[in-house]
Amino acid sequence: MRRRSEDTLLIDELREVTPKSPSTPQLNLLFEAPAAPEAEVPAHVTRRRERRTWLVHELVTEARELVEMELGDVWIEGEISNCRPASSGHLYFTLKDAEAQLPVVLFRRQAVLLRFRPEDGLQVRVRGKVSIYEQRGQLQLVTETMEPVGAGSLQVAFEQLRDKLKAEGLFDSERKRPLPAFPRCVAVITSPTGAVIRDFLNVVGRRHAALSVTVVPVSVQGESAPGEIETALKLANEPGIADVIVVARGGGSLEDLAAFNSERVARAIAASRLPVVSAVGHETDFTIADFVADLRAPTPSAAAELITSAQHKIEELVAELGNRLARAARFQLLQAQQRMLRASIAYAQQRVVALLHRMLQQLDDFSFRMETAIDTTLQEQLRHVAELAGDVMRHDPRQELGAARELLTKNRDRLEHVLDRGLSSVRFEWQSLDARLYRAAGITLNARRAEWMHVRGSLQALSPLAVLQRGYALVQDETGAVVRSAAQLKVGASVETRLGNGSFTSAVTATMVSTSTTNRRKKGKDTQA
Amino acid sequence: MAKFEESLKKLENIVAQLEQGELSLEDSLKLFEQGVGLSAECKQELDAAEGKVQMLIKQRDGTHKLEPFPTAGE
């Protein structure tokens, strides 16, 4: 290669150099000279051509430049050996095959991007540029990226399986079962030795969780791993073992995680009765197991945190529910008390209303009785008046009687009217249900009493006594019967004669019965109650 | 396990019902009593849980047996 490169270089240079170099006639024959050969001959060409002695660094630099130019971007495959990470973060190793070896440097900037940890014996494919480390004059490969050989096919297998299971719906979120609210025992399927189970138990212990842990020991890598994990999942699912399963493994290369990318383990997880938490690898690595699991924890410690925190949460929830229960009950009681209080107030109100009603009824009753009494008296008097009117008919002008009747009727109407008014005003007052009721009723009754007195006065004015006032006399016999005819009397009988003012008793000395005015000749008197 | 979750769910329902406050006093008291019972049950379950660390060991006859896990290192 080197030779070819030099040849090319020489020819390129000669094409320009020729016109200025008449000392190379054989080349002149080969190439026609350009018209104006003004270009300077590069120093190193001149030097080389002059076979001058190089300084070491000049030559090495020259070589480095040539090598970098020619082999600036190459892929190379080989086995890692003598791998030495430096404290700077750079990584040095040797790439070798059966016949040769080549020092390789992987600078920190690229080293941190690696998805796997380079180890001795690992077959890798490296992309970079070939260069020369001038201080040592050593050929080396400056690496850009690197991937394990075989990872490519593993990756393809991974993707194929992932797509297949996904199409089957094994990753569907509807399939994911929630973790038990209160996990009491967790089955951890992992290697019984190593950091993973220790980390897990540390977290559980640190959080003082009342969580039982049952370790189901398996190999997490190697040929037997998928089968062992499958069996362990079945075992952990047996009743009484656990209520949640964690499948755990520390991080590693894709090959290390092969078991967790196997279809067998994926299907065993999918078939699990209990919820499965996957805790495989580093935070950034995903495995098929992660996709199928009900929950993915980035690390085994995170899985422990998750499960113990669920437990703590449930303890808090139970305590909180207890508090809320008590609070709600207290509130209910308080409300009931208030309802009771309100009820008793309503009861008291009802009693007051009932009392008022009773009082109103009494008032009604009273006024009714009063009305009746007044009415009765009135009727009695009217009857008397009617009787008397019959008696005095002949002695009393009809008009007067008629007028009296009229007045009576009027007064009665008035009385009734007044009573009605009084009653309605009493009823009105009842509506307000207070002390005024009594007062108003009293006033009304007084008014009625006054009315009644007035009517009585009127009645008295119309009584026969008034007639007597005008000079007539009323004669009664010994039995008190009004003497209307002299025929009723015998000589010697004693009669009482009533005058407008006072009365006197006299004896009948003679009787004369006239046809027309019988009463005139009589001596006697009638009284009025 | 399922029983605990069931009790918890019932308790949650009872608390929610009581908090609604639309029940008669009698029903409330009945629910409260029930709730107290459930709460005590849940608490008991929580207290009964213990943190044991065991390992499932395969016996020679193919059966498995729980044995204490050696916690003091590997």
Side-chain angles (χ1 to χ4, degrees):
Chain A
M1 264 192 355
R2 178 160 276 267
R3 187 175 302 130
R4 186 185 57 81
S5 154
E6 277 176 354
D7 288 347
T8 316
L9 199 71
L10 256 171
I11 290 163
D12 282 347
E13 283 162 0
L14 285 173
R15 273 161 72 180
E16 293 190 3
V17 166
T18 307
K20 267 218 151 178
S21 316
S23 56
T24 51
Q26 74 273 32
L27 290 177
N28 260 335
L29 292 175
L30 285 170
F31 297 99
E32 275 299 317
E38 301 292 347
E40 276 285 329
V41 178
H44 67 275
V45 173
T46 316
R47 264 185 256 126
R48 182 177 300 170
R49 283 185 59 253
E50 289 168 359
R51 299 186 184 275
R52 75 170 265 216
T53 308
W54 293 65
L55 291 175
V56 174
H57 76 268
E58 283 179 330
L59 185 67
V60 173
T61 302
E62 169 81 3
R64 182 178 62 77
E65 279 170 5
L66 290 173
V67 165
E68 278 181 5
M69 202 189 306
E70 266 316 299
L71 303 169
D73 185 10
V74 294
W75 282 95
I76 177 166
E77 194 179 302
E79 185 193 318
I80 293 176
S81 70
N82 198 20
C83 185
R84 323 177 287 281
S87 55
S88 60
H90 305 330
L91 188 69
Y92 300 96
F93 57 89
T94 305
L95 207 58
K96 65 173 187 187
D97 60 15
E99 270 105 33
Q101 55 181 42
L102 174 70
V104 178
V105 59
L106 181 65
F107 291 118
R108 193 169 67 93
R109 203 154 49 84
Q110 279 79 31
V112 296
L113 297 176
L114 286 186
R115 301 295 300 269
F116 70 103
R117 196 177 297 115
E119 295 169 341
D120 285 357
L122 206 64
Q123 199 73 14
V124 289
R125 224 156 73 88
V126 181
R127 182 184 187 172
K129 65 175 181 192
V130 181
S131 184
I132 290 169
Y133 182 42
E134 296 185 25
Q135 284 85 338
R136 290 192 181 182
Q138 190 181 41
L139 196 70
Q140 69 174 13
L141 187 74
V142 179
T143 308
E144 204 61 45
T145 59
M146 172 162 78
E147 63 181 42
V149 171
S153 55
L154 265 181
Q155 189 67 32
V156 168
F158 173 88
E159 279 162 16
Q160 280 173 340
L161 179 61
R162 188 191 61 196
D163 293 347
K164 175 177 153 194
L165 296 181
K166 190 176 182 179
E168 281 181 35
L170 254 61
F171 304 164
D172 289 357
S173 50
E174 302 89 73
R175 286 197 76 241
K176 310 278 181 205
R177 289 150 299 186
L179 293 193
F182 177 52
R184 264 164 300 182
C185 185
V186 54
V188 184
I189 297 175
T190 191
S191 162
T193 60
V196 168
I197 190 64
R198 269 207 315 276
D199 288 352
F200 192 93
L201 292 175
N202 275 344
V203 172
V204 172
R206 176 155 51 79
R207 310 227 2 175
H208 300 292
L211 181 72
S212 292
V213 179
T214 297
V215 181
V216 189
V218 293
S219 331
V220 290
Q221 67 190 85
E223 290 286 305
S224 63
E228 284 184 34
I229 294 168
E230 188 187 29
T231 309
L233 274 162
K234 277 187 194 144
L235 261 174
N237 263 297
E238 270 171 23
I241 298 279
D243 39 24
V244 60
I245 297 170
V246 174
V247 185
R249 195 217 185 281
S253 67
L254 205 55
E255 287 95 332
D256 292 341
L257 300 178
F260 296 87
N261 284 323
S262 70
E263 184 163 355
R264 219 167 151 186
V265 168
R267 296 209 180 273
I269 289 173
S272 173
R273 175 179 60 88
L274 298 174
V276 177
V277 179
S278 73
V280 181
H282 297 299
E283 303 200 7
T284 48
D285 292 332
F286 269 83
T287 62
I288 299 284
D290 289 327
F291 292 121
V292 189
D294 296 293
L295 191 70
R296 175 193 182 253
T299 64
S301 300
E305 298 267 358
L306 255 160
I307 290 166
T308 50
S309 81
Q311 225 188 15
H312 283 297
K313 248 184 259 160
I314 211 73
E315 274 166 18
E316 278 161 29
L317 179 65
V318 169
E320 189 209 309
L321 281 174
N323 286 340
R324 274 168 62 192
L325 184 72
R327 213 180 311 132
R330 257 203 304 280
F331 183 68
Q332 291 268 312
L333 275 175
L334 204 71
Q335 264 193 330
Q337 263 174 359
Q338 274 171 350
R339 267 208 302 276
M340 213 164 76
L341 206 64
R342 269 203 300 278
S344 64
I345 286 170
Y347 179 63
Q349 275 173 347
Q350 267 172 10
R351 276 175 48 182
V352 169
V353 167
L355 189 68
L356 284 173
H357 282 165
R358 221 165 36 239
M359 284 157 80
L360 283 175
Q361 214 179 343
Q362 277 174 351
L363 211 60
D364 259 343
D365 195 36
F366 177 59
S367 58
F368 176 72
R369 268 162 51 201
M370 183 120 161
E371 246 176 296
T372 317
I374 290 167
D375 230 32
T376 311
T377 315
L378 212 61
Q379 294 289 347
E380 240 164 58
Q381 295 200 359
L382 283 171
R383 208 169 51 243
H384 276 292
V385 168
E387 268 172 34
L388 291 174
D391 289 347
V392 299
M393 188 76 79
R394 278 153 220 172
H395 316 288
D396 210 280
R398 254 160 219 254
Q399 290 94 333
E400 275 187 12
L401 252 173
R405 273 210 190 89
E406 226 171 71
L407 196 60
L408 256 171
T409 316
K410 209 161 82 189
N411 279 335
R412 204 191 146 174
D413 287 346
R414 268 175 63 200
L415 184 63
E416 276 169 359
H417 178 65
V418 165
L419 276 170
D420 277 348
R421 252 199 10 227
L423 279 173
S424 60
S425 85
V426 167
R427 282 206 185 89
F428 174 74
E429 288 294 338
W430 293 339
Q431 311 290 326
S432 68
L433 305 177
D434 62 24
R436 279 185 304 160
L437 191 72
Y438 289 108
R439 219 159 44 230
I443 289 164
T444 313
L445 287 172
N446 284 339
R448 276 191 307 213
R449 204 170 285 129
E451 281 295 329
W452 184 74
M453 298 298 273
H454 174 68
V455 170
R456 201 168 78 160
S458 305
L459 279 171
Q460 275 170 354
L462 291 166
S463 92
L465 294 177
V467 178
L468 296 181
Q469 291 293 339
R470 294 207 298 271
Y472 295 92
L474 186 70
V475 182
Q476 288 168 295
D477 65 12
E478 279 148 327
T479 65
V482 174
V483 181
R484 289 186 174 87
S485 165
Q488 286 175 263
L489 298 172
K490 288 174 191 140
V491 175
S494 170
V495 292
E496 179 124 312
T497 305
R498 264 190 132 153
L499 304 172
N501 188 13
S503 64
F504 62 91
T505 311
S506 54
V508 178
T509 52
T511 58
M512 279 165 290
V513 181
S514 93
T515 43
S516 59
T517 56
T518 331
N519 286 343
R520 284 247 172 116
R521 303 290 142 96
K522 231 141 274 159
K523 289 176 184 162
K525 188 123 207 235
D526 200 2
T527 45
Q528 196 215 283
Chain B
M1 283 143 228
K3 193 178 166 295
F4 175 83
E5 257 103 66
E6 220 173 90
S7 300
L8 196 66
K9 186 130 240 159
K10 269 194 216 157
L11 180 58
E12 276 177 325
N13 281 339
I14 284 174
V15 170
Q17 259 180 293
L18 277 177
E19 281 175 342
Q20 292 252 313
E22 282 162 6
L23 297 162
S24 73
L25 187 64
E26 207 187 339
D27 289 345
S28 293
L29 286 179
K30 242 182 250 165
L31 274 184
F32 176 69
E33 245 169 56
Q34 230 178 311
V36 167
L38 286 169
S39 177
E41 249 172 62
C42 290
K43 191 87 184 40
Q44 214 177 331
E45 294 254 359
L46 288 178
D47 293 342
E50 49 177 336
K52 266 189 299 190
V53 180
Q54 294 175 303
M55 178 150 69
L56 208 55
I57 305 285
K58 191 171 182 178
Q59 306 295 105
R60 273 198 196 92
D61 59 1
T63 59
H64 286 80
K65 195 180 154 199
L66 281 171
E67 281 178 14
F69 185 76
T71 35
E74 293 158 39

